[in-house]
């Protein structure tokens, strides 16, 4: 456990050493604030901006999370530090889990920083604390799922750009699966029950369900098992690829 | 301490390490030599549990690298080739990080880090980002990192690569000081370094061990080992050459060249079966009253042995 903490600390430090962290947080804040203001007013809906704020998270994460995660393993392999890491007395699982957790904590920090904004936005409305909390939880869990996919693609290659593109594609598919238009197209090709199964594998389906304010254990289990499964795949890939 | 048992590594169809076995005991400093691509680093990566062997195994301090790799890594200090490190950390942060992952905390951690900074003369670079260090300093950081837990087994892949002559000397001295209590494997391309530091050397070529022995023993493979070299102010007369050749253990007499100084003629007398013929040659020259400016027995040349063993020439 102490070793995991040490590894997480180093990883987090390396985020804040690099300009990527600050750029990420700025873009994240600007876009999370920007989208509800622009689109919220533009559409002139009665919906609280808060809902729109969360509505766009799947699309925001689509680029932001692969951007911060693409280097996680690719960089270690590129600079050779992976040889240092895996000759220290730490297990593969410890290494994989701590790298993931560090990234997740970092995203969590960025997400928390939006909290004052959300409060302001909701100042005039009637904020439903339960729904806000659920939305944050859903967003955080979904971010973990994006991140684990990026971890896997980052372990697959030394090249950060390839890792980025691969993970955007995979995450895009995971979001798209639950999208109405996509489901309509699929309904024409496949029986409805199959389309339903496919759309339950979508990030956005589960995220939307949580952010309505009802924390259903099926949604939690969905994201947590994506994360768990992803970490295992990540470990297996590294085990075979670390030396090449 | 280290028992390597038929270790093999394939990269696809390339046989990088081919069924090698050897042992290293406490107190030994084993030099790993061989041409580029011979399989030195690959062997060291397997011993340090970074890559899995295709076949065979090794035990380090009695622990198997395949079944008990965490225990092996605990007792091992490993310096990977070209000393990778986290470049955005300072030297101090990096060494503390390594100490922590090796299970040290609090005062003990600080003590160990301080001792190692002192030992590897990193004091002046303590707060510098590794990114901005010169190559030699980075190499020292890598060396420091491998020593922080005072491991009983050290595996060092080209530890003096990129160091200035003074630092090379210092690292060699440090390795020798530590040797008594440890089993050490180091790879190097510098033959003099191997001769100066190692108690034993293994030369590997295309994944196979082609020689294994003390540096002095390896030198006996040299073509000129125990040959007697004469420097003479005058050309050696044919009659003398003939009588040299008639000596019981003499095999050949060769005029090498007038030496660089331009003054002397240089002649080498080769023995049968590399026997010691210095006495015989001296006696003969004395009894014939031949003037010589220098006479000595050749110890052999490591570079020639190396070339011979790795090029088959
Ligand atoms: N990851 C890899 N994939 C494929 N081939 C590899 C890999 N690593 C090493 N090799 C090959 O294995 C052989 C042995 O390489 P190794 O690095 O062990 O040589 P070395 O003796 O350390 O050489 P050098 O003196 O140049 O450091 C080389 O032919 C090399 O190309
Ligand atoms: Mg090498």
């Amino acid at each position: 456990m102490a070793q995991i903490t040490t590894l997480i600390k180093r990883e987090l430090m390396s985020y804040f050493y690099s300009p990527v962290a600050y750029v990420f947080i700025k873009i994240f804040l600007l876009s999370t604030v920007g989208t509800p203001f622009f689109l919220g007013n533009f559409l002139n809906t009665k919906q609280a901006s808060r809902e729109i704020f969360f509505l766009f998270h799947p699309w925001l994460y689509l680029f932001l999370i692969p951007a911060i995660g693409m280097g996680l393993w690719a960089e270690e392999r590129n600079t050779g530090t992976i040889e240092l890491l895996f000759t220290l007395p730490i297990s593969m699982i410890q290494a994989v889990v701590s790298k993931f957790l560090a990234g997740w904590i970092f995203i969590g920090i960025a997400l928390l920083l939006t909290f004052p904004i959300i409060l302001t936005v909701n100042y005039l409305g009637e904020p439903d604390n339960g729904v806000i909390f659920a939305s944050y939880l859903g967003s955080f869990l979904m971010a973990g799922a994006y991140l684990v996919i990026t971890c896997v693609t980052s372990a697959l290659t030394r090249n950060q750009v390839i890792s980025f593109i691969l993970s955007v594609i995979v995450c895009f598919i995971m979001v798209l699966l639950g999208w109405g238009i996509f489901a309509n197209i699929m309904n024409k090709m496949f029986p409805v029950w199959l389309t339903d199964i496919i759309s339950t594998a979508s990030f956005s389906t589960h995220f939307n369900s949580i952010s309505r304010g009802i924390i259903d254990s099926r949604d939690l289990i969905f994201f947590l098992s994506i994360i768990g499964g992803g970490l295992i795949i990540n470990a297996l890939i590294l085990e075979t690829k670390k030396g090449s | 301490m280290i028992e390597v048992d038929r270790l093999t590594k394939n990269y696809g169809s390339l046989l990088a390490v081919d069924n090698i076995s050897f042992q290293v005991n406490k107190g030994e400093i084993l030099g790993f030599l061989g041409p580029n691509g011979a399989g030195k680093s690959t062997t060291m990566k397997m011993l340090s549990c970074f890559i899995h062997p295709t076949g065979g195994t090794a035990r380090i301090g009695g622990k198997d690298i395949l079944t008990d790799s965490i225990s092996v890594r605990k007792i091992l200090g490993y310096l990977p080739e070209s000393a990778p490190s986290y470049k955005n950390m300072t030297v101090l942060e990096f060494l503390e990080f390594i100490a922590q992952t090796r299970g040290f905390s609090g005062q003990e951690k600080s003590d160990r880090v301080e001792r190692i900074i002192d030992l590897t003369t990193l004091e002046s670079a303590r707060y510098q980002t590794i990114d901005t260090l010169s190559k030699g300093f980075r190499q020292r950081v890598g060396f420091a990192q491998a020593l922080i837990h005072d491991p009983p087994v050290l595996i060092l892949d080209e530890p003096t690569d990129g160091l200035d002559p003074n630092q090379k000397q210092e690292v060699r001295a440090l390795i020798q000081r530590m040797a008594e209590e440890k089993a050490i494997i180091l790879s190097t391309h510098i033959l003099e370094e191997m001769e100066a530091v190692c108690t034993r050397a293994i030369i590997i070529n295309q994944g196979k061990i082609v020689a294994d022995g003390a540096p002095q023993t390896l030198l006996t493979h040299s073509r000129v080992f125990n040959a007697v070299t004469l420097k003479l102010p005058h050309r050696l007369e044919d009659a003398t050459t003939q009588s040299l050749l008639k000596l019981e253990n003499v095999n050949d007499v060769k005029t090498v060249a007038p030496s660089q100084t331009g003054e002397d003629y240089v002649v080498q007398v080769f023995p049968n079966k590399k026997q010691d013929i210095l006495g015989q040659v001296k006696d003969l020259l004395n009894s014939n009253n031949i003037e010589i400016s220098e006479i000595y027995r050749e110890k052999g040349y490591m570079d020639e042995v190396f070339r011979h063993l790795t090029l088959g020439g």
Side-chain angles (χ1 to χ4, degrees):
Chain A
M1 197 57 216
Q3 279 160 322
I4 290 193
T5 323
T6 308
L7 292 172
I8 291 178
K9 229 176 75 191
R10 191 206 67 76
E11 199 72 42
L12 272 177
M13 255 162 76
S14 80
Y15 277 116
F16 288 102
Y17 277 132
S18 74
V20 177
Y22 301 99
V23 173
F24 174 83
I25 289 180
K26 269 182 204 153
I27 294 182
F28 188 73
L29 292 182
L30 279 177
S31 43
T32 48
V33 180
T35 39
F37 270 123
F38 281 115
L39 293 164
N41 292 332
F42 185 69
L43 297 170
N44 201 15
T45 58
K46 289 256 156 67
Q47 278 180 304
S49 315
R50 185 215 350 113
E51 256 173 64
I52 296 172
F53 166 79
F54 284 111
L55 192 66
F56 283 97
H57 278 198
W59 303 104
L60 267 180
Y61 287 163
L62 191 53
F63 293 100
L64 287 179
I65 291 182
I68 62 153
M70 64 186 182
L72 282 176
W73 290 109
E75 179 80 1
E76 293 259 3
R77 282 177 60 194
N78 226 358
T79 58
T81 46
I82 192 162
E83 193 166 345
L84 202 70
L85 188 65
F86 287 126
T87 51
L88 289 169
I90 50 174
S91 68
M92 178 60 80
I93 283 295
Q94 280 176 318
V96 163
V97 166
S98 41
K99 221 181 228 324
F100 169 79
L101 283 181
W104 210 17
I105 291 171
F106 177 72
I107 297 167
I109 293 171
L111 200 55
L112 275 183
L113 290 176
T114 65
F115 191 59
I117 299 159
I118 256 288
L119 281 186
T120 322
V121 167
N122 276 288
Y123 184 63
L124 295 173
E126 312 119 40
D128 181 336
N129 292 329
V131 174
I132 291 182
F133 173 76
S135 302
Y136 269 107
L137 180 71
S139 179
F140 185 58
L141 283 170
M142 184 174 61
Y146 277 83
L147 183 65
V148 86
I149 287 171
T150 310
C151 284
V152 169
T153 62
S154 178
L156 277 172
T157 165
R158 285 163 180 270
N159 186 316
Q160 300 202 15
V161 178
I162 294 177
S163 150
F164 176 80
I165 294 172
L166 276 179
S167 107
V168 170
I169 291 173
V170 177
C171 292
F172 186 56
I173 292 171
M174 294 306 281
V175 175
L176 212 58
L177 289 177
W179 222 30
I181 300 169
F182 190 71
N184 287 343
I185 297 171
M186 289 219 304
N187 271 335
K188 291 196 185 106
M189 295 191 288
F190 305 111
V192 177
W193 61 267
L194 188 61
T195 318
D196 281 349
I197 291 180
I198 294 175
S199 76
T200 56
S202 160
F203 288 177
S204 39
T205 310
H206 292 275
F207 171 60
N208 291 339
S209 136
I210 298 180
S211 54
R212 273 196 291 275
I214 313 136
I215 301 174
D216 188 331
S217 60
R218 274 175 302 180
D219 299 322
L220 297 186
I221 289 168
F222 171 78
F223 282 124
L224 292 177
S225 43
I226 293 259
I227 290 169
L231 289 177
I232 291 167
I233 294 172
N234 190 356
L236 292 176
I237 290 175
L238 280 175
E239 196 61 63
T240 56
K241 281 227 155 194
K242 63 182 176 181
S244 62
Chain B
M1 284 296 264
I2 307 173
E3 303 156 67
V4 179
D5 182 15
R6 287 167 291 173
L7 211 53
T8 301
K9 180 73 190 179
N10 289 79
Y11 287 114
S13 61
L14 180 97
L15 195 50
V17 174
D18 187 3
N19 201 23
I20 67 172
S21 302
F22 62 88
Q23 285 173 12
V24 188
N25 298 318
K26 191 167 122 176
E28 272 190 302
I29 307 177
L30 175 72
F32 232 46
L33 287 94
N36 292 133
K40 304 180 294 294
S41 298
T42 305
T43 306
M44 291 175 142
K45 281 178 193 177
M46 289 191 279
L47 293 182
S48 60
C49 310
F50 179 59
I51 56 176
H52 288 293
T54 317
T57 186
R59 276 170 300 281
I60 294 182
K63 319 273 191 214
D64 195 291
I65 57 165
L66 295 179
T67 56
D68 200 1
S69 93
I70 296 276
S71 306
V72 171
R73 286 183 258 171
K74 278 186 185 149
I75 57 171
L76 194 79
Y78 175 51
L79 169 64
E81 194 168 24
S82 66
S85 49
Y86 292 108
K87 302 270 186 307
N88 51 22
M89 296 176 113
T90 66
V91 171
L92 187 63
E93 283 168 346
F94 177 67
L95 293 177
E96 288 191 334
F97 163 71
I98 297 290
Q100 275 171 340
T101 55
R102 293 233 173 243
F104 303 111
S105 58
Q107 192 57 43
E108 167 148 44
K109 180 187 76 182
S110 324
D111 289 348
R112 283 185 180 266
V113 169
E114 286 315 313
R115 196 179 58 95
I116 232 67
I117 285 182
D118 188 44
L119 215 56
T120 52
T121 28
L122 279 168
E123 189 53 49
S124 61
R126 168 194 289 264
Y127 299 111
Q128 213 175 327
T129 316
I130 295 177
D131 222 359
T132 65
L133 292 178
S134 69
K135 180 178 155 122
F137 268 88
R138 264 184 235 171
Q139 186 73 22
R140 278 190 246 170
V141 172
F143 190 51
Q145 158 279 126
L147 294 179
I148 220 149
H149 52 306
D150 196 20
V153 178
L154 268 180
I155 295 183
L156 310 167
D157 203 348
E158 303 191 25
T160 60
D161 183 39
L163 298 182
D164 67 47
N166 299 337
Q167 274 301 318
K168 273 198 172 74
Q169 207 49 53
E170 225 158 87
V171 166
R172 286 174 197 163
L174 182 58
I175 291 174
Q176 284 181 307
R177 273 206 303 283
M178 295 186 302
E180 215 172 304
E181 296 302 315
K182 296 185 197 305
I184 303 176
I185 302 182
L186 62 88
S187 74
T188 177
H189 284 298
I190 308 169
L191 297 168
E192 301 79 58
E193 177 165 293
M194 182 273 282
E195 287 184 77
V197 180
C198 300
T199 58
R200 196 177 128 205
I202 282 183
I203 299 182
I204 113 168
N205 188 36
Q206 294 178 351
K208 288 193 187 65
I209 294 180
V210 290
D212 180 351
Q216 290 75 20
T217 321
L218 291 183
L219 282 175
T220 63
H221 292 290
S222 176
R223 195 179 51 85
V224 295
F225 176 74
N226 267 357
V228 171
T229 299
L230 310 170
K231 292 189 179 167
L232 314 130
H234 310 292
R235 176 179 282 281
L236 196 65
E237 285 162 34
D238 284 349
T240 327
T241 309
Q242 288 310 319
S243 34
L244 276 172
L245 278 170
K246 283 198 191 92
L247 283 175
E248 193 185 354
N249 291 320
V250 170
N251 181 28
D252 199 6
V253 177
K254 278 190 185 144
T255 304
V256 179
S259 74
Q260 266 87 350
T261 59
E263 309 275 321
D264 293 341
Y265 289 88
V266 183
V267 172
Q268 276 185 331
V269 187
F270 289 89
N272 277 324
K273 302 197 184 96
K274 305 202 164 143
Q275 296 171 74
D276 184 358
I277 50 167
L278 181 65
Q280 289 177 310
V281 174
K282 256 186 183 162
D283 289 347
L284 185 117
L285 295 173
N286 273 341
S287 57
N288 287 337
N289 284 327
I290 292 173
E291 198 185 338
I292 45 177
S293 40
E294 219 180 319
I295 178 166
Y296 58 86
R297 189 172 59 212
E298 295 283 354
K299 294 193 197 67
Y301 295 104
M302 203 53 97
D303 56 347
E304 183 222 312
V305 173
F306 183 82
R307 207 175 322 121
H308 175 71
L309 287 169
T310 57
L311 290 178

